[in-house]
Amino acid sequence: MSSVRITSRSSSGDGAMAISGLIVRGDKAIAQRLSTIAKRYDAGKHAALEAEAQIELTEMKARTPVDTWALHDSGRIEMAHSGNAAVAQFKFGGSGFTRPDGSPVDYALVVHEDLTVHHPRGQAKFISSVLNESRRSMPGRLAARLNVDKVAR
């Protein structure tokens, strides 16, 4: 005899984490099928996040202040995976940015945070402004990209 029990709990409002569980007893074929779906879902969520992150990075670069193009061109995504979590990290700057005395400086942080500087092209908060604007639409975009029906086939 087979049995499948799905449990879930989620809180509303601030987007707190949903907790869900799946218990399968009995039929080995059902368990194997669900395992396959879970693996496809894991692969799909990482690909979906990376694709959406690329869209965000393109907009961030469009807003990045430009002097020598070095900061603009340094923009990149680093994907991190930890257990079931996928994380897209947006990074700008890096080695090669120095003060006149040769000491290193986090140039990207200075340009991003300094609201007093006028930029003929681009703006301060070129990273956070994009993420703040996408905050509400991102979950739906990820869900559409993931396409749960396709994962279950």
Side-chain angles (χ1 to χ4, degrees), residues 48-89:
L49 179 60
E50 192 164 5
E52 287 300 320
Q54 191 61 52
I55 293 168
E56 301 298 290
L57 179 64
T58 299
E59 182 58 29
M60 290 172 190
K61 285 185 167 189
R63 297 182 190 189
T64 301
V66 173
D67 182 17
T68 67
W69 290 91
L71 184 59
H72 173 277
D73 293 346
S74 73
R76 64 200 178 280
I77 302 165
E78 291 183 8
M79 295 299 296
H81 309 282
S82 176
N84 289 332
V87 178
Q89 299 174 337

Side-chain angles (χ1 to χ4, degrees), residues 33-45:
R33 181 71 180 131
L34 291 171
S35 176
T36 299
I37 291 170
K39 287 176 186 171
R40 286 183 186 163
Y41 171 76
D42 283 343
K45 75 180 176 188

Side-chain angles (χ1 to χ4, degrees), residues 9-145:
R9 181 181 75 196
S10 65
S11 56
S12 60
D14 64 354
M17 181 183 292
I19 299 171
S20 63
L22 176 65
I23 299 171
V24 179
R25 292 193 178 111
D27 194 332
K28 189 175 179 179
I30 292 174
Q32 288 175 336
R33 181 71 180 131
L34 291 171
S35 176
T36 299
I37 291 170
K39 287 176 186 171
R40 286 183 186 163
Y41 171 76
D42 283 343
K45 75 180 176 188
H46 295 286
L49 179 60
E50 192 164 5
E52 287 300 320
Q54 191 61 52
I55 293 168
E56 301 298 290
L57 179 64
T58 299
E59 182 58 29
M60 290 172 190
K61 285 185 167 189
R63 297 182 190 189
T64 301
V66 173
D67 182 17
T68 67
W69 290 91
L71 184 59
H72 173 277
D73 293 346
S74 73
R76 64 200 178 280
I77 302 165
E78 291 183 8
M79 295 299 296
H81 309 282
S82 176
N84 289 332
V87 178
Q89 299 174 337
F90 300 96
K91 297 192 174 187
F92 284 78
S95 62
F97 293 101
T98 58
R99 293 182 179 92
D101 67 2
S103 61
V105 63
D106 189 346
Y107 178 69
L109 181 63
V110 172
V111 173
H112 186 268
E113 295 299 316
D114 191 348
L115 299 174
T116 66
V117 176
H118 170 72
H119 301 287
R121 184 186 186 286
Q123 66 182 53
K125 303 290 186 181
F126 54 93
I127 300 170
S128 60
S129 64
V130 172
L131 295 177
N132 285 334
E133 289 170 18
S134 296
R135 213 170 74 200
R136 289 201 171 126
S137 64
M138 182 62 71
R141 290 171 27 204
L142 286 169
R145 198 175 281 278

